[in-house]
Amino acid sequence: MTDTVTYKVEMSLTGRLTQLPDSQKIFGALIYMYAEQYSSEQATLLVSKIRDGELYLSLSNMLPRAYFPMPQTYLLDQLAGQPSDQSNRGKDKKTYQAIKKRSFMKLGDIYKAIKNPNHANHLYPFASIQSSQQIHAAIDSIKYDLPGLDPNVYSVPEVNVIEVQAEQKREVVTKFSFYVCTDKCAESDKLLDALRRAEESKRRFFLGARASQGFNTFVVDRVHSETWDLTGQTSTYLNLGMLLPRALDFDKSSLKLYTSERRPYDSAGGWDKEHSGKFISFIDAGSIVFAREGWKKAGRSIPSPFNKQRDIVFGNACLMPIHLDRREQHEGTATS
């Protein structure tokens, strides 16, 4: 059996965010880095091996460092299954709100919430995502050298990831990380080497729109190995990225779906409006998935609808083993 290795890539945000990067954006940035470091031909070969299942590689979304996605859907399902009466409705509503605002928690606290969802509002610290709209003005008279043009005012969606240490103690998160789980082979060694060179050179990663304006740019702080219990003693996993399912037991899983529109991008013309209306649904991070055939067979990547010979829709999300038996403890499941 091929050895599998897991790495944690710690990154720092160097500006502001329009959205927290998901595993698909991270995959694109890693392949671009791989092509830059080696060659576009080698990058294309790597992508084809991942698409055809010859090489296993999975990624997580970008996560606040030391935090994992809260399994909100699972916890709310558990809460809904508990007996309730009129006197407990106010408490149930408070618990529901506490679970919804805790987007990310530390692993030990996730297990505490699984053991008793009603205690979620007492669990600190946690991290959440706050959205806003920032007003910007483009001075077209300067850009086009045409005095007298009115400023072009527009809004840009922004997000902040907030760490809540206590009820009145919170701060903006700038330290993030993502996970790479891959077969031990020549290609994965080269990918790891490229990441470490990026760390040494402080190479910037552009992981979203408006990078030229300082948005969605990251640098690598550290790359190190992780120890996860992937021995197959459990069939239940916490999904950490955007998963395209291949072999899951949907009846035993607790899923949250995310649907996005797929359109090709051209650097000159922008998003191609002629190819609108192609939608694809992923299993979102924080879902609990039951994969009887194992974590390697749970997800898949598929050919892109726009360039089936070269590009793929990446759907191999990192799956972290999680034990839902309330008698089990979280120690030893993962280390950070």
Side-chain angles (χ1 to χ4, degrees):
M1 179 181 292
T2 304
D3 290 336
T4 304
V5 290
T6 302
Y7 296 99
K8 184 177 184 180
V9 182
E10 298 180 357
M11 306 192 88
S12 289
L13 176 67
T14 62
R16 294 180 293 179
L17 279 173
T18 61
Q19 61 185 22
L20 199 57
D22 61 28
S23 52
Q24 292 186 90
K25 286 187 173 61
I26 293 171
F27 177 74
L30 292 181
I31 295 303
Y32 185 86
M33 176 195 69
Y34 195 91
E36 184 181 73
Q37 186 70 46
Y38 305 109
S39 69
S40 59
E41 291 78 13
Q42 290 192 53
T44 299
L45 180 60
L46 174 61
V47 171
S48 68
K49 286 188 174 183
I50 294 170
R51 179 196 61 209
D52 297 337
E54 298 177 25
L55 167 64
Y56 178 81
L57 183 141
S58 64
L59 299 168
S60 76
N61 292 352
M62 191 73 74
L63 305 170
R65 200 173 296 178
Y67 286 87
F68 293 94
M70 183 73 150
Q72 293 175 333
T73 302
Y74 176 82
L75 294 175
L76 294 175
D77 288 345
Q78 296 297 105
L79 192 66
Q82 295 179 356
S84 181
D85 55 40
Q86 188 70 29
S87 62
N88 286 332
R89 287 186 179 177
K91 182 180 178 181
D92 290 345
K93 183 178 180 181
K94 186 176 181 180
T95 302
Y96 174 86
Q97 293 172 342
I99 292 173
K100 291 296 288 182
K101 70 181 180 181
R102 284 162 168 77
S103 302
F104 307 94
M105 295 199 74
K106 295 187 177 180
L107 186 60
D109 288 330
I110 288 176
Y111 272 97
K112 290 177 182 177
I114 289 172
K115 184 176 181 180
N116 191 339
N118 291 297
H119 290 170
N121 59 318
H122 302 298
L123 296 176
Y124 292 90
F126 66 87
S128 61
I129 299 175
Q130 295 183 355
S131 301
S132 64
Q133 292 282 339
Q134 298 294 328
I135 303 300
H136 295 256
I139 311 300
D140 291 339
S141 59
I142 297 176
K143 180 178 179 180
Y144 297 109
D145 194 22
L146 294 172
L149 290 180
D150 292 332
N152 179 22
V153 179
Y154 60 98
S155 65
V156 174
E158 293 190 30
V159 300
N160 282 319
V161 180
I162 306 297
E163 183 180 42
V164 182
Q165 292 283 350
E167 189 62 38
Q168 302 299 326
K169 185 180 180 183
R170 55 192 65 202
E171 61 183 37
V172 176
V173 175
T174 59
K175 300 296 184 181
F176 295 87
S177 61
F178 68 90
Y179 294 90
V180 182
C181 189
T182 182
D183 290 337
K184 180 71 174 173
C185 60
E187 289 88 352
S188 62
D189 287 344
K190 290 168 70 174
L191 179 63
L192 180 63
D193 183 63
L195 276 168
R196 287 179 169 153
R197 292 189 188 186
E199 174 190 352
E200 294 171 359
S201 65
K202 293 299 179 184
R203 178 191 184 277
R204 289 198 299 168
F205 286 80
F206 305 114
L207 295 174
R210 301 184 183 275
S212 62
Q213 300 175 27
F215 288 89
N216 307 309
T217 59
F218 293 80
V219 294
V220 177
D221 291 333
R222 184 184 175 215
V223 182
H224 61 97
S225 62
E226 285 277 297
T227 302
W228 287 4
D229 180 11
L230 296 171
T231 58
Q233 296 179 359
T234 180
S235 297
T236 311
Y237 303 87
L238 177 64
N239 179 34
L240 305 185
M242 309 300 287
L243 179 68
L244 282 176
R246 181 175 63 161
L248 296 183
D249 187 327
F250 291 97
D251 291 334
K252 293 185 177 181
S253 301
S254 184
L255 307 178
K256 176 185 177 184
L257 299 184
Y258 177 85
T259 300
S260 66
E261 184 178 7
R262 311 297 303 182
R263 284 190 291 171
Y265 185 82
D266 179 77
S267 58
W271 294 107
D272 188 345
K273 297 179 180 179
E274 294 183 1
H275 291 88
S276 61
K278 292 185 180 294
F279 293 88
I280 187 167
S281 292
F282 298 86
I283 296 174
D284 206 352
S287 296
I288 298 290
V289 298
F290 190 87
R292 193 182 302 276
E293 297 183 35
W295 49 275
K296 274 193 174 183
K297 295 184 179 180
R300 58 179 176 154
S301 295
I302 61 175
S304 167
F306 308 109
N307 190 332
K308 295 183 178 182
Q309 299 300 317
R310 187 194 66 184
D311 300 337
I312 64 172
V313 178
F314 183 76
N316 288 336
C318 269
L319 300 178
M320 188 182 71
I322 191 165
H323 301 274
L324 297 185
D325 188 329
R326 295 184 179 186
R327 295 169 297 179
E328 293 177 320
Q329 302 297 317
H330 74 273
E331 285 83 8
T333 301
T335 59
S336 299

